[in-house]
Amino acid sequence: MGGSACWGEGDSGDNAPKIGCSAGTYSQAGKSSCTDCAKGKYSASSKNKCTDCPKGRYSGVGQPNSCETCPAGKKRVKRDTASESEACEECVKGKYSESSKNECTDCPEGRYSGVGQPNCIACDAGKKGVRSDTASKSEACEDCAEGKYSAESSLEKCTDCPTGRYSGVGQPNCIACDAGKKRVKSDTASLLKACEDCAEGKYSESSSDECTICPAGTYGDNTGLDICTICPKGRYNADGDADGGIHAAKHDSLESCTQCHPGKYIADDATDKEEHDDAAKCVDCPGQTKSNAGENGFGSDDCVQCPLDGEGFSLFAPPGNDRCVSCDAGYICRVDRKEACQSGRYSDGTHTECQLCPVGSICKGSSKNELCPPGKYQDKPGKTECNDCELGKYNLHFNKTMCDDCEEGFFCPKRSESMIACEGVGLFCPPKSGVPKVPGKGNYTLPIDQTSKRTSEKQCEAGFACVGGVKKPCPANTFAGVGQDYCERCPDFQESDEGSSECRCQAGFFNRTHPTTGKLLCECPAGKRLSEGACVLCPSGSFKDEISNANSCMSCDQKAVRNSFSTYVHIRLSSNLSTDGFEPVDKTACSCDRQYYFVEEPDGDFIGSCKECPENTNCDQAGLNLATLPVNPGYWRSSNDSSNIVKCYTEDSCNQKTNQTNRTQCSDGHKGPICNVCDQGYAKDYTGTCEWCKNGSNLPPEMVALIVILSGVAILASVVAVRRMMSGELSAANEIRRARHDNKSWMKRLRTSVKIFSSFYQVTSQFEDTLNVRFPANFENFMRKMKGFVTLDVIKVAKVGCLVEVNFYKKLQAMTVGPIAASFTLLLISGILIRLAKSKEIRANIVENASAIFFSITYIVFAGVSTTVLDTYNCKTYGDDPTEYLVSDQSLSCGSEQHQVYVLYASIMIFVYPVGIPLLYFVLLWMKRKQLREERLRDEDPSLLKTSFLWDEYRCEYWWFEVFDCLRRLSQTGLLIFLFRGRISQIVVAIIMSVVYLGLVIHWKPYAKWSDNQLAIASQVAIFFTLFSALLTKVDVDEKDAYDEMKFGFLLIFVNCLVIAMFILQLLVKPWKVVVKKFGRTHKHGGVLRGLPEDPQWQVYWEYWDWLVDSNVDDAGWDEMTPRQFRMSKKPGKKWMERTGAVGNWRCSGGNGPIDQLRISFPLEAEYADVVNYALKDEALAKGTFKSQVIEKKFTLRINDDQSVDEYMLMTPPYFWWKYDFFARRFVKKNEHSYDILRKSLTWKQEGKYEASSKFAFRADICLDGIRIESLQGGERCKVTRIIMVDFNADFLPDDLMQRLIGPRWLRATVDEYSLLSKEQGMGEEEGGGGKMTRALAKNLTAASKSASSVLSAVKRRTTFGKNSSSGVSENSADIEMNGRGSDFSQQNPMTGKSSCRRTAKLPTLGINPNYDMSCFADERSSKKMRLRGRRKRFIESNFNKAKSAVRKAVPQALGKQGSALSYGGEGWVVRVDPESGDFYYENEETGKTQWEAPKGTEPKTTRVLGIWNMISIDDLAEGANHSQLVAEVTEECSELGKIEELFVPEREDRGAGTVFVKYEDVETAKKAKKTLEARSYQVTCKGEEWFRTAWWE
């Protein structure tokens, strides 16, 4: 037991006596003695362990009960000691502690302490604590400064005195300023210094920092005021802060209180705050009062009532008025205002109310009423307007309250003052007429004996006509009824007497009355027509079956038999037969001509029609009917009652030998609709022709041969496969993996092409049945044969129909059940083999191989079985037979119960084949989509390889495309059956789908091989054209436009054979390349450095690159290139190599084969930094070089995260017309003394993110393209090395030929372009002026066309910026100095008669500045000093070399297009070129005078027209640049400077290319624009207005 000790020798266990340990000791269990507690611990009695002393305590050995405590002012530093001096240590200054503490505490703010203090001492009020680590109060505390105080003790800082208070040093509080004073200083103890009296006009309360302006209505005329004095009565004072400025009202004297204006007053003194505020302003006197008399009317303190005038009326005053006035006429006066009388009332000024206006007059607020004039009246009081007399009334007097009615025979218009008489017999006026009335049609006016003032009208009697109010009798042979205004002429063959109301028939005509109208009719009898007043027989081809007065008979075609143009009478007359009894009195007299046949079709008036014989019939006889209609061979109709002629399935199946029965339409062995069903003993071939079975019911020889071949192949394959699977030798994954990477395998190379080829013909061969369209016969036969070939139609190949009766249903069963049975057989055999297998590996191989075979079966049968299943729904009618037959088998009716059963069966099979197989493929691919997206993972998963036929030929990102292609084939074949079946819309939908699929294939390019993509695109294009031809056939365009059927068919065959041609070309590519390679040149070497691995990483590329750059002939087997190999002749090539120092090499990287790597190295006299900068920009220095001619487009696609750059380049190689493009990735590596730029082509997956600029370029691969720039002599010089290795994928050209033609020119272009950066090619000083030019510029100018050679010779000598100027701007012209040879020049030039050695010809019409303002590029820093804007800024910011390139192009282009002369300045002067020297001179064509200087007075002055020479950069003139956008940008910039009237920017092929011509609306605008443009560093010249049109484009 712990805490006790056991004593005694003989005692043990529980019997031993136990004694508790004393305080300060302890004992553990099993101990016989107690142990003292160690230092720093203590214990009570009977404890088994000691306890550590708590904080602030200590102890020695054997400390009982508790530890000793450190006193206050000390901290414990040691626990395990009994001495206080060792255990406790005094607190340092600035700290304190209570008893039992381990640490001392810092004194709080404002307190201090000495050494060993139990607490801290606080600073007194008025002081602040500055130190805590001292015992001295004077050191620890400091007095508060003046303007501050400390009210409490123990503060670390003093507080600023509040507003209006001040204090001295060490104050516990601040003192307030008295009222009437303001505080001006807070840091002082003196009242006089701290507080200041308020100025006059201000006051303050106590404790104020500022004095306040006396409020409104008060003033202060003394200083030091605590309150302001109130203004006396009649005076006011505005607010002192009224306007807040220097004009604020003063309040410093009584005079600042202003007297009230007349009409205003202040009543009393203000004695309190409210009144004080009111005293700030004077108020208006109330109405009917005025202000009492003050000094000059000012200062009133009261208002008095207005008195009465002399007549006893009260005077009037409005509020705020200082006088009283009397009321005016038209007004009344109220207590406080004057009011005008309202409309309809009046006042003379003496009334207190306005009077109401009386009737007969009006009032408009005037002083009296106005009487209504004649023609008007007013019947109501209080009105402002008189009323007009209404129509039919009048008024002759003033002040009338009503108007009088107008009498009859008269009329009164509106506002009439008297009545007006009706004049003439054509008008009449009843009582109250406002206007005269016109008699109605067929009426006359009364009384008839008066010529005016007629009062009424009457209807005209029968036999008379009434016009203009007058009645007249009808003349003979006319008649009129009651109320007519004209007489009608009697109808033909009728007559009448004068004044008659009706007519009668002439003699010889049949009289009768019309049954409905009752009119008299005189008509000819039936069978006759009216002709020249007589009834004659109807002519041939017409009849008349009624009594009528028509002058023609009815046409048989229009009334009896449609399309009939003959009659029996005509037939009998032409045959010289009697016509008795055959008069054309009814419809039976009509008959049909040849090429027509009669069809009995009762329809209203028609008894039938003569229809044109349908196409493909023979109607050379007259009198044909439908039953006897002859049909041409190759065509069929459903019955003798049908005129619907249908094309037979094959031309040979319909012979049309007789017309007795429908059966005889078909050839031997054919029957059924369109003769497309075979008789017993016949079987169909590929084209649909029924062929006789020669062996009867025995096996056909075709079937025997097919069975033998298929059986032999199946047995052999099964035996080999089983033996290899059982032995473990055969693994589907290994076989597929091997096949995938066997690039020499024919199967691998042709598998995808065969699939595309077969799927194409599976689609196109279905169009005839699916779209219900008939193509030309030769094309149909072609497509049927191709269909049999690509679908492997065993039934037709083996002629199964000769052995058993075959129909579509049996074919459907065989094709749907066969694959399922084969799959179950495969499952059974696999199960047996698995049981017989001896190891897990063999069993796994069996399962793997069985799965691969199963997937292969599904892939093989998918297209054919799916099409067959969907064909179950494809039914149609033939001819006029209403029965629907299967399109695939016309012996089966779609309306039978048997067909409905098979429709149900096909519906189930849809989910197995057309839906199930693509769904299975999608699930298999979706589950492995992550592995399929990366090429390296595809071989790592063995379970993935058995489905490689679904994804192997596609790019990684299009792993799903096989499923898409399955759906495409279904949508273009079987699914079309369900969309607008048999209609034109069905073909339109198919065309739309074809276009969509074509666009997707072009956009995606899903196949891994470029050739497969091209074949897929070609197949979709052929499908489109086939569908388009189907549309033309469907809408009968081929018939309407008379297409030649055979030629049309051959055209379709040609389109579809393009796919075959491409397929055959792919077959021939490999052998052709082998043949080409045999004839191509090879390079052999023994160098150890060989080619790259197939897909190296970038690190490998960099290592390979370093080796290759530094390699020699022994390392890499390089062959040195000669000038001839650089495509140069020997002498110029040798000079070129000597001048540039270029050394070229080439080799075969593999050691034995065609040249594929080329290298060139050359020194460069240029600064290392400049060359690196150009190489990184990768821009051509000059147009006309190989690079600018060959590379059409080059641009950056994106900058990647690793700072690599993806690029695209499109080029046309020399000697070839086709294009190549590249997708490449560029890396840059900076070494200590060199820069490396390395490119290689992107992979298919990387390239898939981008879109090619050209859809018709061949894709080439950059295997290696690198440039190394090495610094020499500290960066003053450098060495450039370039190596290229490009595969142009030239299938039909030797690789060696492509490399030898293109590669050397590429390397040569590199040397030429980088050499232009050389210092030797740079700027050189010339004699006699400040101008500069480059040797490279001179060289390029020399190489211009022969037509401009004389011009260029002058420019070559000297190109200046003007007369000894370096600015590059000449006011009116570009100057070309022509006498660089000094004094000898005048002797050599025959055009001058002077001895001057310096001649300058001004050429303002050149259209360009020959130096292209090169001063802007002479120093890179110069552009920073210019004010640049718009297009000029972007132009100057481009590099210097591009500007030199612009000069090279612009100068020859402009000078070479001028012709023999250019007009200059008018007055007959022209500019010409000296043919000897190439210099320019001026000639007056009128006088014949010639001179070198520009003619005086002819140079254009400042006009509205400006020529801007350097606004357009060389990029704007590049081929393919957007000229419209350029014009828009230039117009925008020039329009900022003023209104433009005309603007012209020549295109790159035009004269003046690179220049802008602009005409402003006036001269001043042009001057300002010229000044602004020159400030922007543009070169601007003024041009004559006539020059603006004539010089360039007219």
Side-chain angles (χ1 to χ4, degrees), residues 173-191:
N173 48 48
C174 298
I175 306 169
C177 287
D178 297 332
K181 295 179 180 291
K182 66 177 180 179
R183 186 188 71 177
V184 294
K185 191 174 183 182
S186 63
D187 54 345
T188 180
S190 171
L191 173 65

Side-chain angles (χ1 to χ4, degrees), residues 905-974:
Y905 174 75
S907 301
I908 298 172
M909 289 297 105
I910 284 177
F911 292 96
V912 177
Y913 291 99
V915 176
I917 291 178
L919 183 61
L920 173 64
Y921 292 168
F922 179 75
V923 172
L924 291 173
L925 294 174
W926 179 259
M927 293 171 62
K928 300 293 183 179
R929 63 188 182 279
K930 293 183 179 178
Q931 295 91 323
L932 291 172
R933 286 172 178 159
E934 296 188 35
E935 183 65 34
R936 63 182 182 84
L937 298 179
R938 290 185 169 189
D939 288 335
E940 295 178 1
D941 189 349
S943 64
L944 188 63
L945 295 175
K946 60 192 174 188
T947 59
S948 64
F949 65 92
L950 297 177
W951 48 261
D952 186 38
E953 63 260 32
Y954 303 114
R955 291 158 58 187
C956 293
E957 58 266 37
Y958 298 106
W959 53 268
W960 44 264
F961 194 80
E962 184 62 41
V963 178
F964 174 83
D965 198 53
C966 290
L967 299 177
R968 176 193 66 80
R969 284 184 283 168
L970 286 176
S971 64
Q972 289 188 321
T973 54

Side-chain angles (χ1 to χ4, degrees), residues 11 32 70 86 191 253 331 361-362 393 485 767 830 835 886 922 1020 1277 1435 1476 1527 1566:
D11 297 332
S32 60
C70 285
E86 293 180 359
L191 173 65
S253 65
Y331 293 86
S361 61
I362 57 172
K393 293 181 178 290
D485 60 345
F767 287 156
S830 300
R835 285 183 172 274
L886 266 177
F922 179 75
Q1020 286 300 317
R1277 301 172 61 250
F1435 178 51
E1476 297 293 330
V1527 174

Side-chain angles (χ1 to χ4, degrees), residues 591-609:
S591 63
C592 299
D593 287 335
R594 288 185 303 173
Q595 302 303 329
Y596 288 85
Y597 68 98
F598 176 76
V599 179
E600 187 176 350
E601 294 175 344
D603 179 17
D605 292 339
F606 292 92
I607 60 173
S609 62

Side-chain angles (χ1 to χ4, degrees), residues 951-1004:
W951 48 261
D952 186 38
E953 63 260 32
Y954 303 114
R955 291 158 58 187
C956 293
E957 58 266 37
Y958 298 106
W959 53 268
W960 44 264
F961 194 80
E962 184 62 41
V963 178
F964 174 83
D965 198 53
C966 290
L967 299 177
R968 176 193 66 80
R969 284 184 283 168
L970 286 176
S971 64
Q972 289 188 321
T973 54
L975 294 181
L976 286 175
I977 298 171
F978 304 100
L979 299 174
F980 309 103
R981 186 185 306 173
R983 289 186 280 176
I984 296 175
S985 299
Q986 185 184 30
I987 303 177
V988 173
V989 171
I991 290 175
I992 293 173
M993 288 194 295
S994 173
V995 172
V996 171
Y997 294 144
L998 174 61
L1000 293 177
V1001 172
I1002 292 175
H1003 177 69
W1004 288 337

